[in-house]
Amino acid sequence: MPTLTSKDNKLIKTAVKLKKSAKFRKKTGLFVAEGVRICVDAMLSGVVIDTLFVTKAAAEKNAAEYEKLSQYSKNTFTVTPELFGYISDTQSPQGFLCLIKTLDKSCQFDTIKVNGKFIALDNMQDPNNMGTVLRSCEAFGVTGVIMSADCCDVFSPKVVRGSMGAVFRLPFIICDTIADYLEAHPQLNSYAAVVDSDAEPLTEVKFDLPCVAVIGNEGNGLKPQTIDSCNHRITIPMGGKAESLNASAAAAVLIWEMIK
């Protein structure tokens, strides 16, 4: 098995650039997934693993996982612990990192399912929030996720890691704006999540199918044009002094109410 030792190696430079640059991820059609479980999830989900990097110690510690992943991946390289730390995006690297072919899931949205229940993200910027939202969507059985083009990159390392593999399996689509998408799909009953005492309390909402709950930016909420494009305005009732919830926490509450 070839061992890489130099930061000047072309593959190492590619891995580092993929870790840092959304533009480069889009250009190359590759993204990074790190960690034993995430890499195994990628394999089990059937995505294309272009390259697997492992340290010798990690391969020995996780021998069964390494054997399967090395056979599944197109290319496999061992790297020194120092070099793995250079390409890693975590504080405590596990010694497994994959370069994966970007997923094209647009075909899964060609037809809006009659009984579909969707989540839409409008300009969500925090990759940790997005990863958690995707994880919640998969856990509770959301049909799919619609993202505006100004959201953070769904293929960033933090989103991939935070989603716990959901990014590999959950149908999603990226559109120019949520408002434009809703206008093009009038069959979707849309519910804008807002902080407004005049909005309908979530506990009283009856979600008519197919439906989509729309969640906004962490600091500014939904864009005015997004709210205007929705059929309903809904809010999460809160009895404490907090004015709002974290975006991922609000999403989990909305998803639960929509799915139950």
Side-chain angles (χ1 to χ4, degrees):
M1 191 67 61
T3 299
L4 306 181
T5 60
S6 173
K7 291 182 179 180
D8 293 326
N9 181 275
K10 184 178 179 180
L11 280 173
I12 295 299
K13 288 183 175 180
T14 295
V16 171
K17 201 167 181 179
L18 287 172
K19 175 179 69 173
K20 298 179 178 179
S21 172
K23 184 177 180 180
F24 190 65
R25 290 191 288 268
K26 186 174 182 179
K27 177 182 177 181
T28 59
L30 294 169
F31 66 99
V32 172
E34 183 178 353
V36 179
R37 179 176 174 181
I38 297 297
C39 292
V40 170
D41 274 351
M43 175 184 68
L44 295 177
S45 300
V47 304
V48 177
I49 298 180
D50 183 82
T51 306
L52 169 68
F53 298 102
V54 294
T55 64
K56 183 178 179 181
E60 291 174 351
K61 180 180 178 180
N62 304 276
E65 291 84 353
Y66 170 70
E67 182 178 358
K68 293 176 182 177
L69 279 166
S70 61
Q71 291 177 359
Y72 182 85
S73 304
K74 288 186 175 182
N75 305 284
T76 300
F77 298 91
T78 57
V79 297
T80 62
E82 295 76 18
L83 198 58
F84 194 91
Y86 180 62
I87 64 175
S88 172
D89 189 55
T90 65
Q91 292 184 343
S92 301
Q94 296 180 3
F96 277 71
L97 186 146
C98 291
L99 305 187
I100 297 174
K101 290 285 186 181
T102 300
L103 313 172
D104 181 6
K105 301 190 177 186
S106 57
C107 61
Q108 298 178 10
F109 276 78
D110 286 346
T111 302
I112 297 293
K113 295 183 179 180
V114 174
N115 62 344
K117 296 181 178 181
F118 298 86
I119 287 291
L121 305 179
D122 187 31
N123 191 32
M124 182 169 284
Q125 291 298 301
D126 188 322
N128 293 314
N129 276 337
M130 180 178 283
T132 302
V133 171
L134 296 179
R135 185 178 180 181
S136 297
C137 285
E138 184 185 32
F140 292 120
V142 167
T143 307
V145 179
I146 304 157
M147 307 174 195
S148 61
D150 54 4
C151 283
C152 64
D153 183 18
V154 68
F155 295 119
S156 77
K158 285 185 173 65
V159 173
V160 174
R161 193 163 58 249
S163 78
M164 293 302 292
V167 71
F168 304 135
R169 299 177 291 270
L170 187 67
F172 63 82
I173 192 169
I174 299 171
C175 58
D176 289 337
T177 70
I178 299 300
D180 288 343
Y181 189 88
L182 294 177
E183 183 179 347
H185 298 84
Q187 70 273 41
L188 271 175
N189 295 293
S190 47
Y191 299 80
V194 297
V195 181
D196 188 341
S197 58
D198 292 331
E200 186 176 2
L202 178 61
T203 50
E204 299 177 12
V205 174
K206 180 182 181 298
F207 289 93
D208 296 319
L209 304 182
C211 63
V212 56
V214 189
I215 300 162
N217 176 275
E218 291 85 352
N220 301 314
L222 293 172
K223 299 171 192 159
Q225 58 267 40
T226 304
I227 296 174
D228 291 342
S229 68
C230 291
N231 307 126
H232 309 273
R233 293 184 307 119
I234 61 176
T235 191
I236 299 173
M238 291 183 289
K241 294 183 179 181
E243 294 182 356
S244 62
L245 293 172
N246 169 277
S248 60
V253 174
L254 285 167
I255 293 167
W256 172 255
E257 288 291 335
M258 183 173 66
I259 295 298
K260 73 177 186 180

